[in-house]
Short mmCIF file of all heavy atoms in Angstrom, two decimals:
data_model
loop_
_atom_site.label_atom_id
_atom_site.label_comp_id
_atom_site.label_asym_id
_atom_site.label_seq_id
_atom_site.Cartn_x
_atom_site.Cartn_y
_atom_site.Cartn_z
N VAL A 1 32.11 -7.31 6.60
CA VAL A 1 31.64 -6.65 7.82
C VAL A 1 31.19 -5.22 7.50
O VAL A 1 30.13 -4.76 7.95
CB VAL A 1 32.74 -6.65 8.89
CG1 VAL A 1 32.27 -5.92 10.15
CG2 VAL A 1 33.17 -8.07 9.23
N LEU A 2 32.01 -4.51 6.72
CA LEU A 2 31.63 -3.14 6.34
C LEU A 2 30.39 -3.16 5.45
O LEU A 2 29.52 -2.28 5.57
CB LEU A 2 32.79 -2.45 5.63
CG LEU A 2 32.52 -1.02 5.17
CD1 LEU A 2 32.05 -0.14 6.31
CD2 LEU A 2 33.79 -0.42 4.53
N GLN A 3 30.28 -4.14 4.57
CA GLN A 3 29.06 -4.25 3.76
C GLN A 3 27.83 -4.38 4.64
O GLN A 3 26.79 -3.75 4.39
CB GLN A 3 29.17 -5.47 2.84
CG GLN A 3 30.17 -5.31 1.70
CD GLN A 3 30.36 -6.61 0.93
OE1 GLN A 3 30.07 -7.69 1.44
NE2 GLN A 3 30.85 -6.51 -0.29
N THR A 4 27.93 -5.20 5.68
CA THR A 4 26.80 -5.37 6.60
C THR A 4 26.43 -4.06 7.27
O THR A 4 25.25 -3.73 7.40
CB THR A 4 27.15 -6.43 7.66
OG1 THR A 4 27.44 -7.67 7.01
CG2 THR A 4 26.00 -6.62 8.63
N LEU A 5 27.43 -3.29 7.69
CA LEU A 5 27.14 -2.01 8.34
C LEU A 5 26.46 -1.05 7.36
O LEU A 5 25.53 -0.33 7.73
CB LEU A 5 28.43 -1.38 8.86
CG LEU A 5 29.11 -2.09 10.04
CD1 LEU A 5 30.38 -1.36 10.44
CD2 LEU A 5 28.16 -2.19 11.24
N LEU A 6 26.91 -1.03 6.12
CA LEU A 6 26.29 -0.15 5.14
C LEU A 6 24.85 -0.56 4.84
O LEU A 6 24.03 0.28 4.44
CB LEU A 6 27.12 -0.15 3.85
CG LEU A 6 28.47 0.56 3.93
CD1 LEU A 6 29.32 0.25 2.71
CD2 LEU A 6 28.27 2.07 4.07
N LEU A 7 24.54 -1.81 5.03
CA LEU A 7 23.17 -2.30 4.81
C LEU A 7 22.28 -2.10 6.03
O LEU A 7 21.06 -1.96 5.89
CB LEU A 7 23.20 -3.78 4.43
CG LEU A 7 23.71 -4.12 3.04
CD1 LEU A 7 23.96 -5.63 2.92
CD2 LEU A 7 22.70 -3.68 1.97
N THR A 8 22.86 -2.11 7.23
CA THR A 8 22.05 -2.14 8.45
C THR A 8 22.21 -0.92 9.34
O THR A 8 21.44 -0.75 10.28
CB THR A 8 22.40 -3.39 9.28
OG1 THR A 8 23.78 -3.33 9.67
CG2 THR A 8 22.15 -4.66 8.49
N ARG A 9 23.20 -0.08 9.09
CA ARG A 9 23.45 1.10 9.91
C ARG A 9 23.55 2.33 9.02
O ARG A 9 23.58 2.24 7.80
CB ARG A 9 24.76 0.95 10.71
CG ARG A 9 24.78 -0.19 11.69
CD ARG A 9 23.98 0.14 12.93
NE ARG A 9 24.15 -0.90 13.95
CZ ARG A 9 23.39 -1.95 14.09
NH1 ARG A 9 22.36 -2.14 13.26
NH2 ARG A 9 23.62 -2.84 15.04
N HIS A 10 23.66 3.46 9.65
CA HIS A 10 24.02 4.69 8.95
C HIS A 10 25.48 4.95 9.31
O HIS A 10 25.81 5.18 10.49
CB HIS A 10 23.14 5.86 9.39
CG HIS A 10 23.35 7.10 8.58
ND1 HIS A 10 22.67 7.36 7.41
CD2 HIS A 10 24.19 8.16 8.75
CE1 HIS A 10 23.05 8.51 6.91
NE2 HIS A 10 23.99 9.02 7.70
N VAL A 11 26.37 4.89 8.33
CA VAL A 11 27.81 4.97 8.59
C VAL A 11 28.28 6.41 8.45
O VAL A 11 28.06 7.05 7.41
CB VAL A 11 28.60 4.05 7.65
CG1 VAL A 11 30.10 4.14 7.95
CG2 VAL A 11 28.12 2.61 7.80
N LEU A 12 28.93 6.91 9.48
CA LEU A 12 29.52 8.24 9.47
C LEU A 12 30.99 8.12 9.05
O LEU A 12 31.78 7.48 9.74
CB LEU A 12 29.41 8.88 10.85
CG LEU A 12 30.09 10.24 11.03
CD1 LEU A 12 29.45 11.28 10.12
CD2 LEU A 12 30.03 10.69 12.49
N PHE A 13 31.35 8.71 7.91
CA PHE A 13 32.71 8.66 7.40
C PHE A 13 33.44 9.94 7.80
O PHE A 13 33.00 11.04 7.46
CB PHE A 13 32.71 8.53 5.87
CG PHE A 13 32.15 7.23 5.36
CD1 PHE A 13 30.78 7.09 5.12
CD2 PHE A 13 32.97 6.15 5.13
CE1 PHE A 13 30.26 5.90 4.64
CE2 PHE A 13 32.46 4.95 4.65
CZ PHE A 13 31.09 4.83 4.42
N VAL A 14 34.57 9.78 8.50
CA VAL A 14 35.34 10.92 8.97
C VAL A 14 36.80 10.74 8.58
O VAL A 14 37.38 9.67 8.79
CB VAL A 14 35.25 11.07 10.51
CG1 VAL A 14 35.95 12.34 10.97
CG2 VAL A 14 33.81 11.07 10.98
N GLY A 15 37.39 11.77 7.99
CA GLY A 15 38.81 11.74 7.70
C GLY A 15 39.20 10.89 6.52
O GLY A 15 40.36 10.47 6.42
N THR A 16 38.29 10.63 5.59
CA THR A 16 38.61 9.80 4.44
C THR A 16 38.30 10.55 3.15
O THR A 16 37.32 11.31 3.08
CB THR A 16 37.82 8.48 4.45
OG1 THR A 16 38.08 7.76 3.25
CG2 THR A 16 36.32 8.70 4.58
N SER A 17 39.14 10.33 2.14
CA SER A 17 38.93 10.96 0.83
C SER A 17 37.93 10.20 -0.01
O SER A 17 37.55 10.66 -1.09
CB SER A 17 40.27 11.04 0.09
OG SER A 17 40.76 9.74 -0.18
N MET A 18 37.50 9.03 0.44
CA MET A 18 36.57 8.17 -0.30
C MET A 18 37.16 7.71 -1.63
O MET A 18 36.43 7.46 -2.59
CB MET A 18 35.22 8.89 -0.53
CG MET A 18 34.53 9.36 0.74
SD MET A 18 34.04 8.01 1.84
CE MET A 18 32.64 7.32 0.94
N LEU A 19 38.48 7.58 -1.71
CA LEU A 19 39.14 7.11 -2.92
C LEU A 19 39.79 5.75 -2.75
O LEU A 19 40.44 5.25 -3.67
CB LEU A 19 40.21 8.13 -3.36
CG LEU A 19 39.68 9.50 -3.82
CD1 LEU A 19 40.84 10.42 -4.17
CD2 LEU A 19 38.74 9.34 -5.00
N ASP A 20 39.65 5.15 -1.56
CA ASP A 20 40.26 3.84 -1.32
C ASP A 20 39.60 2.78 -2.19
O ASP A 20 38.36 2.71 -2.30
CB ASP A 20 40.10 3.48 0.16
CG ASP A 20 40.71 2.14 0.50
OD1 ASP A 20 41.94 2.07 0.67
OD2 ASP A 20 39.95 1.15 0.57
N ASP A 21 40.42 1.94 -2.84
CA ASP A 21 39.88 0.92 -3.74
C ASP A 21 38.91 -0.02 -3.04
O ASP A 21 37.87 -0.39 -3.60
CB ASP A 21 41.03 0.10 -4.35
CG ASP A 21 41.77 0.87 -5.44
OD1 ASP A 21 41.29 1.95 -5.82
OD2 ASP A 21 42.82 0.38 -5.90
N ASP A 22 39.25 -0.43 -1.83
CA ASP A 22 38.36 -1.33 -1.09
C ASP A 22 37.01 -0.67 -0.85
O ASP A 22 35.95 -1.29 -1.02
CB ASP A 22 38.99 -1.70 0.26
CG ASP A 22 40.03 -2.80 0.12
OD1 ASP A 22 39.98 -3.54 -0.87
OD2 ASP A 22 40.89 -2.92 1.01
N LEU A 23 37.04 0.58 -0.42
CA LEU A 23 35.81 1.29 -0.10
C LEU A 23 34.94 1.46 -1.34
O LEU A 23 33.72 1.28 -1.29
CB LEU A 23 36.15 2.65 0.51
CG LEU A 23 35.01 3.44 1.13
CD1 LEU A 23 34.27 2.61 2.16
CD2 LEU A 23 35.55 4.72 1.76
N ILE A 24 35.56 1.78 -2.46
CA ILE A 24 34.80 1.94 -3.71
C ILE A 24 34.15 0.62 -4.11
O ILE A 24 32.97 0.58 -4.50
CB ILE A 24 35.74 2.46 -4.82
CG1 ILE A 24 36.17 3.89 -4.50
CG2 ILE A 24 35.04 2.41 -6.17
CD1 ILE A 24 37.25 4.43 -5.41
N ARG A 25 34.90 -0.48 -4.01
CA ARG A 25 34.34 -1.79 -4.39
C ARG A 25 33.20 -2.19 -3.45
O ARG A 25 32.15 -2.67 -3.90
CB ARG A 25 35.44 -2.85 -4.37
CG ARG A 25 34.95 -4.22 -4.85
CD ARG A 25 36.04 -5.27 -4.81
NE ARG A 25 36.48 -5.56 -3.45
CZ ARG A 25 37.61 -5.12 -2.92
NH1 ARG A 25 38.42 -4.36 -3.63
NH2 ARG A 25 37.93 -5.42 -1.68
N ILE A 26 33.40 -1.99 -2.16
CA ILE A 26 32.36 -2.36 -1.19
C ILE A 26 31.10 -1.54 -1.42
O ILE A 26 29.97 -2.07 -1.41
CB ILE A 26 32.89 -2.15 0.25
CG1 ILE A 26 33.98 -3.17 0.57
CG2 ILE A 26 31.76 -2.25 1.26
CD1 ILE A 26 34.76 -2.86 1.83
#
């Protein structure tokens, strides 16, 4: 689902260090 949003939307990231393993893999 998040992959789809990254492909079809502009995702605003708030409050995250961007170090989560899931997020890095996606």
Side-chain angles (χ1 to χ4, degrees):
V1 178
L2 179 55
Q3 289 173 339
T4 301
L5 292 179
L6 289 168
L7 288 168
T8 61
R9 298 284 187 268
H10 188 87
V11 180
L12 175 63
F13 294 88
V14 185
T16 176
S17 63
M18 303 296 286
L19 294 178
D20 180 80
D21 284 352
D22 280 338
L23 190 54
I24 292 171
R25 184 180 66 256
I26 291 168

